[in-house]
Amino acid sequence: LDVGAYGSDDADRNALVPVALERVERRYGPVDRAGLWVVGDTPLDAACARAGGAHCLLVANGFAPRADLEAAGADLVVEDLTDTEAVLSLLG
């Protein structure tokens, strides 16, 4: 979680992908941006992903209706993250 970017990092959600990238690259080295994903639970997270050139996985955890998440243009929408292996295979 320490290499992610969150609303507390910048009031402009669309500025968060570069923040996360800087943290990841500082800790792990260069990132293949073709495999970059934003995981969120609102249509604003899909916009953030698009602004940062990332793919988007939205989680329909009840915060926003699933139909709104699908309409936001996410690459994937899932009900929850409980099946970690399945989620990781989707992101891979």
Side-chain angles (χ1 to χ4, degrees), residues 1-10 13 15-21 23 38-39 48:
L1 295 174
D2 59 332
V3 295
Y6 309 94
S8 59
D9 291 312
D10 196 306
R13 192 178 297 228
L16 296 179
V17 170
V19 171
L21 276 171
R23 290 176 178 164
V38 168
V39 178
C48 168

Side-chain angles (χ1 to χ4, degrees), residues 58-81:
L58 294 180
V59 184
N61 61 10
F63 186 78
R66 183 180 182 106
D68 290 356
L69 300 179
E70 291 170 345
D75 295 287
L76 296 168
V77 177
V78 297
E79 291 299 317
D80 58 46
L81 301 175

Side-chain angles (χ1 to χ4, degrees), residues 31-37 53 55:
V31 171
D32 176 6
R33 296 185 183 200
L36 184 63
W37 285 83
H55 300 285

